[in-house]
Amino acid sequence: MKKLSALLCACLAALLFSVVLTPALPANAYNQFDVGPELLSAELVTPTTVGGGDEVRIEWSVLSTRGVAYSAVSLATGSVFSPETDKVLGQYDTVVTGRDGDVVSGTTSFTTGGSNWAPGEWRVTDLGFFDEQDVYGGAFEDSPIIQALPRLQIDVGTDGDQEYPELVALEVDAPDEVRQSDVIWFNWTAREASRVTALSLTIVGPDGRTYQAQGFDRLAAARDGDLVSGSLQVTVNNFTWALGDYRVDSLVVEDEHGNRSPLLTAADSEALAAAATFTVVDAGGPDVTAPELLSAGFEQSTVRMGDEPDINWTIRDESDLDDITFLLEDDRGTVYKMRGSAGDRLGEIVRGVAGAWLTVTPWEDEVPKWHGGEYQVVGAELTDEFGNVTTLTPDNPVIAGLPRMIVLAENAPIPPRTPSPTVTATPSPTVTATPSPTATATPSPTESTAPSPTASPSPTETGTSTPAPTASSTAGPTDPSTGLPVPTQSVAPSTQAPTPTPTSTTSPAPSATPPMSSPGATDAPPQTPVGTPTVVTVEDGTAPEAGDQGKLASTGSDTLGPGLLGATALLGLGAMLLLMRRRSHGE
């Protein structure tokens, strides 16, 4: 009987130990918020001595709960004591070959060659990966895995790609009479064996002012043999455009090996000389209309100190934006700012990001310091380049619909990566332009007018404007780098339909709504289409939609069931032990 009592005591102690430890175990041992792919192995599977035009291929495996979107390898030659050259390659030639649980395998490859390759010894300094949610991970030069990769001896010679792309055709696709907010597409075709990675096109107007076309998506460019096709676009977005004829003035194109063409003009290129002109008949007057916020949403509403949270926004304005500021308030009444500007434009629709680092440098004492806790978006100020300002208050439907931003301590467990809902306002009447450039660079844009019912001004939003300054030369934006989309999530519409429309001295001008898939808007994060009047509100206490995991990683409540079960078993064993001890004394 004493042996049985000892056995029961041991079982009781083990059960007690397990019940105490169970709530302390992490809910998710490999958290998915900002933990990118982790490099497990890398192997060079091609010869270490290569010439111009040869392929270099690295096989790798990474730990990643999500798929790998693409990877890139960084190479360097030289040292701190001699000229050092760096290259980032392979982002277009990433192939995922398999998955075993959370272990993803694949290859990253690139070819040597080009006028800016230096013969000699090259070393791998970085092997990086982006997963399907654009979270970065990888290994740097101090990693044992990277250090174990052999050095490459590259003899470029003359057989690598040292030719810059040759422009074959350029088509200008524009309305017969271009007006305010119209989008002009430039569809190009170049002859190039490698990839075209940069293309910049300049147009000139009757007054000699130049504008630059933007929006070339390198990943979406189509290929037919050695012919590569793509599109650029430019918007007539303010009254500084002179009325009259515009023509293509010059073009520069570059391939993935750094072979860059000289500045091509109509005198140098038959394709440029044959490109059609377009005529601007109405560029509008001075912009006196305040910007209109169409939608906004946190990229991640639960973050940690040291992170940089972002609010993705969509705004309608015929001019460029100078400042976009969202105001957040903590539980002490202190107001903080998340700021942004510029953005990617198509017609009157501009998309961009406002953010802030959750740290403050010592010399910025006048700026309130962030801390752990909850922050509610209480307003926003939208300013365009002509000084037109829209001030949004907490009653604005978009502002009111944004969730609280929860800031955790810097050493807190990483919260799950889940984008918060994008809140969309009811748009005012718009003119929808639907250009659809194809892979063969022959788009056929159409224009349709779809007015919605007149919206009454909301008392919760005010817009003020100032007289326009003297017109000045406007330089076109540069070609944005390619980025991966950020997922957004819609929220069920409410039965009421508040209509935020900024009050200003003039009614909002018609605008061009970007197509769902256009080569000019691929670099911007996807947003809820603004052409569909959808009013969305988020109320406190509303259950999240399916798939929404926008909550803290764990509060311990998910282990309540095991804890109660352990406590019940503990009481049962105690009672049994007491009963058996009494029986042993009775014997």
Side-chain angles (χ1 to χ4, degrees):
M1 185 60 63
K2 291 182 179 180
K3 292 182 179 180
L4 180 58
S5 299
L7 178 61
L8 290 175
C9 287
C11 294
L12 180 62
L15 178 61
L16 178 61
F17 187 73
S18 65
V19 170
V20 171
L21 282 187
T22 298
L25 293 176
N28 188 359
Y30 185 73
N31 202 291
Q32 300 182 15
F33 172 54
D34 54 6
V35 178
E38 176 186 351
L39 183 63
L40 301 178
S41 67
E43 179 184 3
L44 180 68
V45 294
T46 49
T48 57
T49 300
V50 294
D54 288 346
E55 181 187 57
V56 177
R57 188 169 69 256
I58 297 176
E59 292 185 352
W60 45 259
S61 64
V62 298
L63 180 66
S64 178
T65 57
R66 298 180 292 269
V68 173
Y70 65 94
S71 69
V73 55
S74 298
L75 302 175
T77 185
S79 67
V80 293
F81 303 105
S82 63
E84 183 168 323
T85 303
D86 299 293
K87 287 182 176 295
V88 179
L89 303 163
Q91 59 266 43
Y92 302 106
D93 294 298
T94 300
V95 178
V96 175
T97 57
R99 170 185 282 277
D100 183 6
D102 287 344
V103 178
V104 182
S105 303
T107 64
T108 298
S109 59
F110 60 90
T111 57
T112 62
S115 57
N116 61 353
W117 274 92
E121 185 179 80
W122 289 74
R123 64 187 184 278
V124 177
T125 59
D126 182 9
L127 187 57
F129 305 86
F130 283 87
D131 67 16
E132 293 172 341
Q133 289 192 2
D134 204 23
V135 181
Y136 176 81
F140 300 96
E141 194 168 7
D142 57 354
S143 165
I145 300 176
I146 299 299
Q147 293 178 354
L149 291 173
R151 301 294 179 99
L152 291 171
Q153 186 65 36
I154 299 179
D155 181 13
V156 176
T158 59
D159 53 343
D161 178 13
Q162 299 191 29
E163 299 294 330
Y164 60 80
E166 175 192 357
L167 182 67
V168 174
L170 179 67
E171 178 189 15
V172 179
D173 191 353
D176 293 336
E177 295 184 342
V178 177
R179 302 178 184 277
Q180 163 75 0
S181 300
D182 280 345
V183 180
I184 297 94
W185 293 93
F186 301 89
N187 307 302
W188 55 267
T189 300
R191 178 173 288 107
E192 171 58 42
S194 304
R195 289 180 176 83
V196 176
T197 56
L199 192 145
S200 176
L201 185 147
T202 302
I203 58 176
V204 62
D207 58 351
R209 184 173 299 167
T210 59
Y211 299 87
Q212 189 175 32
Q214 64 163 345
F216 167 40
D217 181 7
R218 294 175 291 179
L219 292 174
R223 174 176 293 278
D224 182 9
D226 63 349
L227 296 180
V228 185
S229 301
S231 296
L232 301 146
Q233 52 89 9
V234 69
T235 299
V236 178
N237 68 322
N238 61 54
F239 77 103
T240 61
W241 286 68
L243 304 186
D245 292 338
Y246 285 74
R247 59 179 174 80
V248 177
D249 180 63
S250 60
L251 180 142
V252 174
V253 60
E254 184 177 350
D255 68 15
E256 63 181 329
H257 296 302
N259 299 310
R260 185 182 181 89
S261 72
L263 186 67
L264 300 178
T265 64
D268 310 315
S269 169
E270 294 182 1
L272 287 184
T277 61
F278 63 92
T279 304
V280 176
V281 300
D282 178 15
D287 182 9
V288 295
T289 303
E292 177 186 0
L293 181 65
L294 300 180
S295 68
F298 280 102
E299 185 172 318
Q300 173 72 20
S301 59
T302 300
V303 294
R304 300 180 300 175
M305 284 295 295
D307 290 341
E308 184 185 15
D310 291 326
I311 295 178
N312 299 314
W313 48 259
T314 304
I315 291 174
R316 174 186 289 117
D317 195 83
E318 62 187 73
S319 303
D320 292 333
L321 300 172
D322 266 357
D323 183 70
I324 307 300
T325 300
F326 286 86
L327 307 176
L328 292 83
E329 184 177 275
D330 64 6
D331 54 3
R332 308 169 190 171
T334 305
V335 176
Y336 300 76
K337 295 180 179 180
M338 296 177 65
R339 305 183 66 176
S341 62
D344 296 320
R345 171 182 294 277
L346 186 65
E348 283 193 340
I349 306 304
V350 186
R351 305 178 192 276
V353 176
W357 286 104
L358 300 187
T359 55
V360 178
T361 52
W363 56 84
E364 293 180 330
D365 291 334
E366 71 279 4
V367 179
K369 292 178 171 57
W370 297 88
H371 58 84
E374 294 187 358
Y375 297 78
Q376 180 64 53
V377 180
V378 294
E381 292 181 355
L382 322 176
T383 307
D384 66 19
E385 64 177 338
F386 292 105
N388 303 311
V389 180
T390 295
T391 301
L392 305 179
T393 67
D395 296 331
N396 176 269
V398 176
I399 299 300
L402 291 171
R404 292 178 178 271
M405 184 178 74
I406 300 173
V407 179
L408 307 177
E410 189 171 7
N411 58 352
I414 302 172
R417 180 180 174 89
T418 305
S420 64
T422 295
V423 186
T424 306
T426 301
S428 57
T430 63
V431 177
T432 304
T434 317
S436 55
T438 63
T440 57
T442 54
S444 55
T446 60
E447 184 175 293
S448 61
T449 303
S452 60
T454 303
S456 59
S458 170
T460 63
E461 182 178 344
T462 60
T464 60
S465 56
T466 58
T470 304
S472 59
S473 177
T474 303
T478 59
D479 182 22
S481 60
T482 302
L484 295 176
V486 177
T488 58
Q489 181 176 357
S490 299
V491 182
S494 64
T495 56
Q496 297 181 351
T499 57
T501 303
T503 304
S504 60
T505 56
T506 61
S507 60
S511 67
T513 302
M516 292 301 295
S517 177
S518 68
T522 53
D523 290 335
Q527 304 283 350
T528 304
V530 296
T532 304
T534 306
V535 179
V536 184
T537 60
V538 179
E539 299 180 357
D540 293 337
T542 303
E545 295 196 358
D548 186 11
Q549 301 174 1
K551 56 179 182 295
L552 299 182
S554 175
T555 60
S557 60
D558 53 351
T559 59
L560 184 58
L564 291 177
L565 180 60
T568 304
L570 177 63
L571 291 175
L573 284 174
M576 182 181 297
L577 178 60
L578 181 60
L579 179 61
M580 300 192 70
R581 286 176 61 86
R582 288 182 176 177
R583 287 184 178 180
S584 64
H585 285 298
E587 293 176 352

